[in-house]
Amino acid sequence: MIQKFAAPTHTDRYIRVAKFADVQAAGSLLVRSEKHTIALFYSDNKVYAIDNRCPHMGFPLHGSTCKDGIVTCPWHYARFDLASGGTFDSWADDVPSFSVEIRDGEVWVNLDPVVDLHAHHSQRLQDGLEQSISLVIAKSAIALLDMGADFTEPFQVGLEFGTRYNKAGWSTGLTIHTCMMNLLPYLDAEDKPRAIFQGLSAVASDSAGAPPHFVVHPLPNSTVDLDTLKSWFCQFVEVRDSEAAERCLVSAIRAGANSEQLADMLFTSATDHRYIDSGHAIDFINKALEALDAVGWQGAESVLASLVSGLATASRMEESNSWRYPVDLVAILESAFEQLPTALATGRPRQGTWSSEEELVPILLGEDPQKIANSLLTALEAGCTEEQLASVVTYTAALRVARFHTNNDFGDWNSAHHPFTFANAVHQGLRRVSTLELLRGVFDAAMSVYLNRFLNVPPARLPEPKDSAQNPEELLNQLPDLLNRQQQVNQTGKLVADYLYNGGSVERLMAMLGKLMLRENREFHVIQEMEAAFKQYSLLGETAGIHVLVAAARYLAAHAPTMRSQGQTYQIADRLHKGDRLFEESEFS
């Protein structure tokens, strides 16, 4: 008697595992060979072989109910087709099945997989995103990366999914996703898959239940020049007509606009109004551009089109009372913008000579918004570049977080946070495309820092380089326990500063901060803060960079610890992938 019913495999690695009569008598039998624990089931005079671990969470399938060719896991009641291992419950995943032959009354099982594992896990990642199942996302991402996939592969899958299925357009999920991609160079190897998982899960959560975005086609046979398309785009955003604006943007892409021209188009519309959407809109644009840098600009149409709805619907601070009363900040800014071309022209021959950052920072932290605007113009006239100016304002915004007093209301952490991530986005944008229009964002950031001056009354003291530590690594090892307790804000800031002032490795510190961020439940603003701080450290230099890392560490401490349920989901997926026998019988342990 020879039984063959499974799909053919590329190689034959059949091994004898049991007697047919024993399986027939028992109904199901557990066997182990090499690294496999296999559950044999007898049904309809045939023997079926599947992996003993339920792919959902690892519960043993041996002894499960088997009826009509379907085996049901007794734990969460996932159901599987015995012949193929295919599940009837998408949250569970297919169980690996093995080809079986009966030879001379003995059961032989082929240990080679009967499916293309890369294709399987790619499809499962798509399934997890579509149904927002975090465990499925984690398992498929871990598997793909372990098989040698580049990090850009799952990142691109999430990017394409999130821009396709999100009625509101680019939002927090895709921003988290891109932040995680940007953070990869700073993380320990073991934490990089965890970061990708968190980004993908954020996309899935944002897109849950959302209809697809229907494509807006470019203007037919258009010969309109890019300057006109940019002007039309800004006009349509101005009147909140997202469909018309999107058509202009897609037409510009089809007309061959390069990445700098497209960035200019988007940033200009975003800075036509003051500090729109509390800074989120600029950050979203910057992250979308960085996402395209990571995967290539062939997907520019869908990615950049996802930004348009948010630009058209964003709140505008000239409509906000705080920007108009008791001081009309908008009027101060509009006057400054009129002077910008002259200030730039005056300062351009002197660029490369300006070094008055220390004199500018106290003014930016001061009480006089007119003096702030004038000082920015004066810096440009003295040769300060657009990028330098953005850097100083970003650093000043970080100081608001570093010096945030814990007597403030907890919700005010975000009031301090938003100007920093906004200023960072403007800074990164100016490094990409230095335009007069985007420079307006530096002035907006400065005014948002001014409006938050009350958060530093009194200011928390910046840690100073006065406490010596012979072994700074001992300090770093204390950080995880410190963040296991609530509101260790000042203690965390001091530890980070002491570590760096005593010669600690900034690379190890950032890896540790990234690890501690990832162990918490995903929180949008914490991830924004950390990613911006890491990027700014590399641009600001040691002293200012330390202050920025102190700010990020304090912000993380304010938002820790959480329930850490996402970390548990990832840990389960990781242990299942490694083959840990989470729940198997002790006879095989």
Side-chain angles (χ1 to χ4, degrees), residues 526-583:
V526 171
I527 295 166
Q528 266 191 314
E529 181 83 16
M530 201 69 67
E531 188 262 355
F534 285 12
K535 191 164 289 185
Q536 283 298 319
Y537 180 88
S538 64
L539 299 172
L540 287 172
E542 184 174 344
T543 301
I546 289 175
H547 292 160
V548 172
L549 292 179
V550 166
R554 296 180 85 242
Y555 192 86
L556 174 61
H559 295 80
T562 63
M563 293 295 291
R564 301 177 183 172
S565 58
Q566 293 162 351
Q568 183 179 13
T569 298
Y570 179 85
Q571 185 179 32
I572 290 170
D574 189 47
R575 292 186 64 189
L576 286 170
H577 178 74
K578 290 176 179 176
D580 290 359
R581 298 192 293 278
L582 277 68
F583 304 101

Short mmCIF file of all heavy atoms in Angstrom, two decimals, residues 526-583:
data_model
loop_
_atom_site.label_atom_id
_atom_site.label_comp_id
_atom_site.label_asym_id
_atom_site.label_seq_id
_atom_site.Cartn_x
_atom_site.Cartn_y
_atom_site.Cartn_z
N VAL A 526 5.93 60.08 21.23
CA VAL A 526 7.20 59.60 21.76
C VAL A 526 8.12 59.17 20.61
O VAL A 526 9.32 59.48 20.60
CB VAL A 526 6.98 58.42 22.73
CG1 VAL A 526 8.32 57.78 23.11
CG2 VAL A 526 6.25 58.90 23.99
N ILE A 527 7.57 58.48 19.64
CA ILE A 527 8.36 58.02 18.49
C ILE A 527 8.84 59.21 17.67
O ILE A 527 10.00 59.26 17.25
CB ILE A 527 7.53 57.04 17.65
CG1 ILE A 527 7.24 55.78 18.47
CG2 ILE A 527 8.24 56.69 16.34
CD1 ILE A 527 6.16 54.90 17.88
N GLN A 528 7.97 60.18 17.44
CA GLN A 528 8.36 61.41 16.75
C GLN A 528 9.53 62.08 17.47
O GLN A 528 10.52 62.49 16.85
CB GLN A 528 7.19 62.39 16.75
CG GLN A 528 6.29 62.40 15.54
CD GLN A 528 5.37 63.61 15.63
OE1 GLN A 528 4.78 63.90 16.67
NE2 GLN A 528 5.26 64.33 14.53
N GLU A 529 9.38 62.23 18.77
CA GLU A 529 10.37 62.93 19.58
C GLU A 529 11.73 62.23 19.48
O GLU A 529 12.76 62.88 19.29
CB GLU A 529 9.91 62.96 21.04
CG GLU A 529 10.84 63.69 21.99
CD GLU A 529 10.64 65.20 22.01
OE1 GLU A 529 9.59 65.67 21.51
OE2 GLU A 529 11.53 65.90 22.52
N MET A 530 11.73 60.91 19.62
CA MET A 530 12.98 60.16 19.62
C MET A 530 13.66 60.25 18.26
O MET A 530 14.88 60.46 18.17
CB MET A 530 12.70 58.72 20.00
CG MET A 530 13.92 57.97 20.53
SD MET A 530 14.43 58.59 22.15
CE MET A 530 13.05 58.09 23.16
N GLU A 531 12.89 60.07 17.20
CA GLU A 531 13.48 60.10 15.86
C GLU A 531 14.07 61.47 15.55
O GLU A 531 15.18 61.58 15.00
CB GLU A 531 12.41 59.72 14.83
CG GLU A 531 12.93 59.53 13.42
CD GLU A 531 12.72 60.75 12.54
OE1 GLU A 531 12.08 61.71 13.00
OE2 GLU A 531 13.21 60.73 11.40
N ALA A 532 13.36 62.53 15.90
CA ALA A 532 13.86 63.88 15.66
C ALA A 532 15.11 64.16 16.48
O ALA A 532 16.08 64.76 16.00
CB ALA A 532 12.78 64.91 15.97
N ALA A 533 15.13 63.71 17.74
CA ALA A 533 16.28 63.95 18.61
C ALA A 533 17.52 63.23 18.10
O ALA A 533 18.62 63.80 18.09
CB ALA A 533 15.96 63.51 20.03
N PHE A 534 17.36 61.99 17.67
CA PHE A 534 18.52 61.24 17.16
C PHE A 534 19.10 61.93 15.94
O PHE A 534 20.32 62.04 15.77
CB PHE A 534 18.11 59.81 16.82
CG PHE A 534 17.92 58.92 18.03
CD1 PHE A 534 17.87 59.43 19.32
CD2 PHE A 534 17.76 57.55 17.88
CE1 PHE A 534 17.69 58.61 20.42
CE2 PHE A 534 17.59 56.72 18.96
CZ PHE A 534 17.54 57.25 20.24
N LYS A 535 18.21 62.39 15.07
CA LYS A 535 18.67 63.05 13.84
C LYS A 535 19.36 64.37 14.18
O LYS A 535 20.39 64.72 13.59
CB LYS A 535 17.50 63.27 12.90
CG LYS A 535 17.89 63.71 11.50
CD LYS A 535 16.75 63.53 10.53
CE LYS A 535 16.49 62.07 10.24
NZ LYS A 535 15.46 61.84 9.22
N GLN A 536 18.80 65.10 15.13
CA GLN A 536 19.38 66.40 15.48
C GLN A 536 20.72 66.25 16.17
O GLN A 536 21.60 67.11 16.00
CB GLN A 536 18.41 67.18 16.38
CG GLN A 536 17.24 67.80 15.63
CD GLN A 536 17.68 68.82 14.60
OE1 GLN A 536 18.59 69.63 14.84
NE2 GLN A 536 17.04 68.79 13.45
N TYR A 537 20.92 65.19 16.94
CA TYR A 537 22.21 65.02 17.62
C TYR A 537 23.35 65.02 16.61
O TYR A 537 24.39 65.65 16.84
CB TYR A 537 22.25 63.74 18.44
CG TYR A 537 23.58 63.56 19.15
CD1 TYR A 537 23.79 64.10 20.41
CD2 TYR A 537 24.63 62.90 18.53
CE1 TYR A 537 25.02 63.98 21.04
CE2 TYR A 537 25.87 62.77 19.16
CZ TYR A 537 26.06 63.31 20.41
OH TYR A 537 27.28 63.20 21.03
N SER A 538 23.15 64.33 15.50
CA SER A 538 24.21 64.23 14.50
C SER A 538 24.47 65.55 13.79
O SER A 538 25.51 65.73 13.16
CB SER A 538 23.85 63.15 13.47
OG SER A 538 22.68 63.51 12.75
N LEU A 539 23.54 66.50 13.91
CA LEU A 539 23.68 67.78 13.21
C LEU A 539 24.12 68.92 14.11
O LEU A 539 24.71 69.89 13.63
CB LEU A 539 22.34 68.15 12.55
CG LEU A 539 21.79 67.18 11.50
CD1 LEU A 539 20.38 67.59 11.11
CD2 LEU A 539 22.70 67.14 10.28
N LEU A 540 23.86 68.80 15.40
CA LEU A 540 24.05 69.95 16.30
C LEU A 540 25.41 70.00 16.96
O LEU A 540 25.82 71.05 17.45
CB LEU A 540 22.97 69.92 17.39
CG LEU A 540 21.56 70.32 16.94
CD1 LEU A 540 20.56 70.06 18.05
CD2 LEU A 540 21.52 71.78 16.53
N GLY A 541 26.11 68.89 17.04
CA GLY A 541 27.36 68.90 17.80
C GLY A 541 27.13 68.44 19.23
O GLY A 541 26.00 68.28 19.69
N GLU A 542 28.22 68.27 19.97
CA GLU A 542 28.15 67.55 21.24
C GLU A 542 27.30 68.23 22.30
O GLU A 542 26.35 67.65 22.82
CB GLU A 542 29.57 67.33 21.79
CG GLU A 542 29.58 66.49 23.06
CD GLU A 542 30.98 66.16 23.52
OE1 GLU A 542 31.91 66.31 22.72
OE2 GLU A 542 31.13 65.76 24.69
N THR A 543 27.61 69.49 22.65
CA THR A 543 26.91 70.12 23.77
C THR A 543 25.43 70.28 23.50
O THR A 543 24.57 69.85 24.28
CB THR A 543 27.53 71.48 24.11
OG1 THR A 543 28.91 71.29 24.43
CG2 THR A 543 26.82 72.12 25.29
N ALA A 544 25.10 70.90 22.37
CA ALA A 544 23.69 71.07 22.02
C ALA A 544 23.03 69.72 21.81
O ALA A 544 21.87 69.52 22.18
CB ALA A 544 23.57 71.94 20.76
N GLY A 545 23.77 68.77 21.22
CA GLY A 545 23.21 67.45 20.99
C GLY A 545 22.86 66.74 22.28
O GLY A 545 21.85 66.03 22.36
N ILE A 546 23.68 66.92 23.31
CA ILE A 546 23.37 66.31 24.62
C ILE A 546 22.07 66.87 25.16
O ILE A 546 21.22 66.13 25.68
CB ILE A 546 24.53 66.55 25.61
CG1 ILE A 546 25.74 65.71 25.20
CG2 ILE A 546 24.10 66.23 27.04
CD1 ILE A 546 26.98 65.95 26.03
N HIS A 547 21.87 68.16 25.02
CA HIS A 547 20.62 68.76 25.50
C HIS A 547 19.41 68.17 24.78
O HIS A 547 18.35 67.95 25.38
CB HIS A 547 20.66 70.27 25.30
CG HIS A 547 21.65 70.97 26.19
ND1 HIS A 547 22.14 72.23 25.91
CD2 HIS A 547 22.26 70.57 27.34
CE1 HIS A 547 23.00 72.57 26.86
NE2 HIS A 547 23.08 71.59 27.72
N VAL A 548 19.56 67.92 23.48
CA VAL A 548 18.46 67.35 22.71
C VAL A 548 18.16 65.93 23.16
O VAL A 548 16.99 65.53 23.30
CB VAL A 548 18.78 67.39 21.20
CG1 VAL A 548 17.74 66.62 20.41
CG2 VAL A 548 18.83 68.83 20.70
N LEU A 549 19.19 65.14 23.44
CA LEU A 549 18.98 63.78 23.92
C LEU A 549 18.39 63.77 25.33
O LEU A 549 17.59 62.89 25.67
CB LEU A 549 20.27 62.98 23.87
CG LEU A 549 20.79 62.67 22.46
CD1 LEU A 549 22.10 61.89 22.54
CD2 LEU A 549 19.76 61.89 21.64
N VAL A 550 18.79 64.74 26.15
CA VAL A 550 18.18 64.90 27.47
C VAL A 550 16.69 65.17 27.32
O VAL A 550 15.86 64.59 28.04
CB VAL A 550 18.87 66.01 28.27
CG1 VAL A 550 18.04 66.41 29.49
CG2 VAL A 550 20.27 65.58 28.70
N ALA A 551 16.35 66.03 26.38
CA ALA A 551 14.94 66.36 26.14
C ALA A 551 14.16 65.10 25.75
O ALA A 551 13.07 64.83 26.29
CB ALA A 551 14.82 67.41 25.04
N ALA A 552 14.70 64.32 24.81
CA ALA A 552 14.00 63.12 24.35
C ALA A 552 13.87 62.09 25.47
O ALA A 552 12.83 61.45 25.62
CB ALA A 552 14.75 62.51 23.16
N ALA A 553 14.92 61.94 26.28
CA ALA A 553 14.87 60.98 27.37
C ALA A 553 13.85 61.39 28.42
O ALA A 553 13.11 60.55 28.97
CB ALA A 553 16.26 60.83 28.00
N ARG A 554 13.77 62.68 28.72
CA ARG A 554 12.78 63.17 29.68
C ARG A 554 11.36 62.93 29.15
O ARG A 554 10.46 62.55 29.90
CB ARG A 554 12.98 64.67 29.97
CG ARG A 554 14.29 65.00 30.64
CD ARG A 554 14.41 66.51 30.90
NE ARG A 554 13.77 66.89 32.16
CZ ARG A 554 12.74 67.73 32.26
NH1 ARG A 554 12.21 68.27 31.18
NH2 ARG A 554 12.22 68.01 33.45
N TYR A 555 11.18 63.17 27.85
CA TYR A 555 9.86 62.97 27.25
C TYR A 555 9.47 61.49 27.31
O TYR A 555 8.32 61.15 27.62
CB TYR A 555 9.87 63.46 25.81
CG TYR A 555 8.49 63.58 25.19
CD1 TYR A 555 7.73 64.74 25.35
CD2 TYR A 555 7.94 62.53 24.46
CE1 TYR A 555 6.47 64.85 24.79
CE2 TYR A 555 6.68 62.63 23.90
CZ TYR A 555 5.96 63.79 24.07
OH TYR A 555 4.70 63.88 23.53
N LEU A 556 10.42 60.61 27.03
CA LEU A 556 10.15 59.17 27.13
C LEU A 556 9.81 58.78 28.56
O LEU A 556 8.86 58.02 28.80
CB LEU A 556 11.38 58.39 26.65
CG LEU A 556 11.33 56.87 26.81
CD1 LEU A 556 10.18 56.27 26.01
CD2 LEU A 556 12.65 56.23 26.38
N ALA A 557 10.56 59.30 29.53
CA ALA A 557 10.31 58.98 30.93
C ALA A 557 8.92 59.44 31.37
O ALA A 557 8.27 58.78 32.18
CB ALA A 557 11.38 59.61 31.81
N ALA A 558 8.47 60.57 30.83
CA ALA A 558 7.14 61.08 31.18
C ALA A 558 6.04 60.15 30.68
O ALA A 558 4.93 60.16 31.22
CB ALA A 558 6.95 62.48 30.60
N HIS A 559 6.34 59.36 29.65
CA HIS A 559 5.32 58.51 29.03
C HIS A 559 5.59 57.02 29.28
O HIS A 559 5.13 56.16 28.51
CB HIS A 559 5.25 58.80 27.53
CG HIS A 559 4.78 60.19 27.22
ND1 HIS A 559 5.61 61.30 27.30
CD2 HIS A 559 3.56 60.66 26.85
CE1 HIS A 559 4.91 62.38 26.98
NE2 HIS A 559 3.67 62.02 26.71
N ALA A 560 6.33 56.71 30.32
CA ALA A 560 6.64 55.32 30.66
C ALA A 560 6.41 55.11 32.16
O ALA A 560 6.51 56.05 32.94
CB ALA A 560 8.10 55.00 30.29
N PRO A 561 6.12 53.86 32.58
CA PRO A 561 5.90 52.70 31.73
C PRO A 561 4.46 52.60 31.26
O PRO A 561 3.57 53.23 31.83
CB PRO A 561 6.24 51.54 32.67
CG PRO A 561 5.82 52.06 34.04
CD PRO A 561 6.12 53.54 34.01
N THR A 562 4.24 51.80 30.22
CA THR A 562 2.89 51.51 29.73
C THR A 562 2.57 50.04 30.00
O THR A 562 3.35 49.32 30.63
CB THR A 562 2.80 51.78 28.22
OG1 THR A 562 3.69 50.89 27.54
CG2 THR A 562 3.19 53.22 27.90
N MET A 563 1.45 49.57 29.48
CA MET A 563 1.06 48.16 29.67
C MET A 563 1.96 47.20 28.91
O MET A 563 2.05 46.02 29.23
CB MET A 563 -0.39 47.95 29.22
CG MET A 563 -1.40 48.67 30.09
SD MET A 563 -1.46 48.03 31.77
CE MET A 563 -2.17 46.41 31.48
N ARG A 564 2.61 47.67 27.85
CA ARG A 564 3.58 46.89 27.07
C ARG A 564 2.96 45.65 26.43
O ARG A 564 3.61 44.62 26.27
CB ARG A 564 4.79 46.51 27.93
CG ARG A 564 5.51 47.74 28.48
CD ARG A 564 6.67 47.41 29.39
NE ARG A 564 7.26 48.65 29.93
CZ ARG A 564 8.20 48.69 30.86
NH1 ARG A 564 8.68 47.56 31.37
NH2 ARG A 564 8.66 49.85 31.29
N SER A 565 1.70 45.75 26.04
CA SER A 565 1.03 44.61 25.40
C SER A 565 1.59 44.35 24.00
O SER A 565 1.64 43.19 23.56
CB SER A 565 -0.48 44.87 25.32
OG SER A 565 -0.75 46.06 24.61
N GLN A 566 2.01 45.41 23.30
CA GLN A 566 2.56 45.21 21.96
C GLN A 566 3.87 44.43 22.03
O GLN A 566 4.16 43.60 21.16
CB GLN A 566 2.78 46.57 21.29
CG GLN A 566 1.47 47.28 20.99
CD GLN A 566 1.66 48.77 20.73
OE1 GLN A 566 2.74 49.32 20.93
NE2 GLN A 566 0.61 49.43 20.29
N GLY A 567 4.64 44.71 23.08
CA GLY A 567 5.89 43.96 23.26
C GLY A 567 5.62 42.49 23.51
O GLY A 567 6.38 41.63 23.05
N GLN A 568 4.55 42.18 24.22
CA GLN A 568 4.21 40.78 24.47
C GLN A 568 3.83 40.09 23.17
O GLN A 568 4.22 38.94 22.92
CB GLN A 568 3.07 40.68 25.48
CG GLN A 568 2.72 39.24 25.84
CD GLN A 568 1.60 39.16 26.85
OE1 GLN A 568 0.91 40.14 27.11
NE2 GLN A 568 1.40 37.98 27.42
N THR A 569 3.06 40.78 22.32
CA THR A 569 2.69 40.22 21.02
C THR A 569 3.93 39.91 20.20
O THR A 569 4.05 38.82 19.62
CB THR A 569 1.79 41.20 20.26
OG1 THR A 569 0.58 41.40 20.99
CG2 THR A 569 1.45 40.67 18.87
N TYR A 570 4.86 40.85 20.17
CA TYR A 570 6.09 40.63 19.40
C TYR A 570 6.89 39.47 19.99
O TYR A 570 7.43 38.65 19.26
CB TYR A 570 6.95 41.90 19.38
CG TYR A 570 8.23 41.70 18.61
CD1 TYR A 570 8.27 41.87 17.23
CD2 TYR A 570 9.40 41.32 19.26
CE1 TYR A 570 9.43 41.67 16.51
CE2 TYR A 570 10.58 41.10 18.55
CZ TYR A 570 10.58 41.28 17.18
OH TYR A 570 11.74 41.06 16.47
N GLN A 571 6.96 39.39 21.30
CA GLN A 571 7.74 38.33 21.95
C GLN A 571 7.17 36.95 21.61
O GLN A 571 7.91 36.00 21.36
CB GLN A 571 7.76 38.54 23.46
CG GLN A 571 8.65 37.55 24.20
CD GLN A 571 8.65 37.80 25.70
OE1 GLN A 571 7.65 38.25 26.27
NE2 GLN A 571 9.78 37.55 26.34
N ILE A 572 5.85 36.85 21.60
CA ILE A 572 5.21 35.57 21.24
C ILE A 572 5.59 35.21 19.81
O ILE A 572 5.98 34.07 19.51
CB ILE A 572 3.68 35.66 21.39
CG1 ILE A 572 3.30 35.75 22.87
CG2 ILE A 572 3.00 34.47 20.73
CD1 ILE A 572 1.85 36.08 23.11
N ALA A 573 5.49 36.18 18.90
CA ALA A 573 5.83 35.92 17.50
C ALA A 573 7.29 35.52 17.35
O ALA A 573 7.62 34.60 16.59
CB ALA A 573 5.54 37.16 16.66
N ASP A 574 8.16 36.19 18.06
CA ASP A 574 9.60 35.89 17.97
C ASP A 574 9.90 34.49 18.50
O ASP A 574 10.68 33.73 17.90
CB ASP A 574 10.38 36.95 18.75
CG ASP A 574 11.88 36.85 18.53
OD1 ASP A 574 12.30 36.72 17.36
OD2 ASP A 574 12.63 36.91 19.51
N ARG A 575 9.29 34.12 19.61
CA ARG A 575 9.54 32.79 20.19
C ARG A 575 8.98 31.69 19.29
O ARG A 575 9.59 30.63 19.13
CB ARG A 575 8.92 32.70 21.58
CG ARG A 575 9.60 33.58 22.63
CD ARG A 575 9.03 33.34 24.01
NE ARG A 575 9.30 31.97 24.44
CZ ARG A 575 8.76 31.43 25.53
NH1 ARG A 575 7.92 32.13 26.28
NH2 ARG A 575 9.06 30.18 25.87
N LEU A 576 7.82 31.95 18.68
CA LEU A 576 7.27 30.97 17.74
C LEU A 576 8.21 30.79 16.55
O LEU A 576 8.45 29.67 16.09
CB LEU A 576 5.89 31.41 17.26
CG LEU A 576 4.74 31.28 18.26
CD1 LEU A 576 3.50 31.97 17.74
CD2 LEU A 576 4.45 29.80 18.54
N HIS A 577 8.75 31.90 16.06
CA HIS A 577 9.64 31.81 14.90
C HIS A 577 10.92 31.05 15.24
O HIS A 577 11.45 30.30 14.42
CB HIS A 577 10.00 33.22 14.41
CG HIS A 577 10.95 33.20 13.26
ND1 HIS A 577 10.56 32.83 11.99
CD2 HIS A 577 12.28 33.50 13.18
CE1 HIS A 577 11.61 32.90 11.18
NE2 HIS A 577 12.66 33.30 11.88
N LYS A 578 11.42 31.24 16.44
CA LYS A 578 12.65 30.56 16.85
C LYS A 578 12.43 29.08 17.15
O LYS A 578 13.39 28.34 17.36
CB LYS A 578 13.24 31.25 18.09
CG LYS A 578 13.80 32.64 17.80
CD LYS A 578 14.27 33.31 19.08
CE LYS A 578 14.86 34.69 18.79
NZ LYS A 578 15.23 35.39 20.04
N GLY A 579 11.17 28.68 17.21
CA GLY A 579 10.89 27.27 17.47
C GLY A 579 10.75 26.93 18.93
O GLY A 579 10.76 25.75 19.29
N ASP A 580 10.64 27.93 19.79
CA ASP A 580 10.44 27.64 21.21
C ASP A 580 9.16 26.84 21.41
O ASP A 580 8.12 27.16 20.83
CB ASP A 580 10.34 28.94 22.02
CG ASP A 580 11.66 29.67 22.11
OD1 ASP A 580 12.66 29.15 21.56
OD2 ASP A 580 11.69 30.76 22.71
N ARG A 581 9.23 25.83 22.23
CA ARG A 581 8.05 25.00 22.50
C ARG A 581 7.31 25.62 23.69
O ARG A 581 7.45 25.19 24.83
CB ARG A 581 8.46 23.56 22.77
CG ARG A 581 9.15 22.92 21.57
CD ARG A 581 9.30 21.42 21.74
NE ARG A 581 10.21 21.06 22.82
CZ ARG A 581 11.53 21.03 22.70
NH1 ARG A 581 12.10 21.36 21.55
NH2 ARG A 581 12.29 20.68 23.71
N LEU A 582 6.49 26.60 23.38
CA LEU A 582 5.84 27.37 24.43
C LEU A 582 4.93 26.52 25.30
O LEU A 582 4.83 26.73 26.50
CB LEU A 582 5.01 28.51 23.81
CG LEU A 582 5.76 29.80 23.45
CD1 LEU A 582 6.72 29.57 22.30
CD2 LEU A 582 4.78 30.91 23.09
N PHE A 583 4.26 25.54 24.67
CA PHE A 583 3.25 24.80 25.42
C PHE A 583 3.32 23.29 25.20
O PHE A 583 2.39 22.57 25.56
CB PHE A 583 1.84 25.28 25.02
CG PHE A 583 1.65 26.76 25.21
CD1 PHE A 583 1.73 27.62 24.13
CD2 PHE A 583 1.43 27.29 26.47
CE1 PHE A 583 1.56 28.99 24.30
CE2 PHE A 583 1.27 28.66 26.64
CZ PHE A 583 1.34 29.50 25.57
#
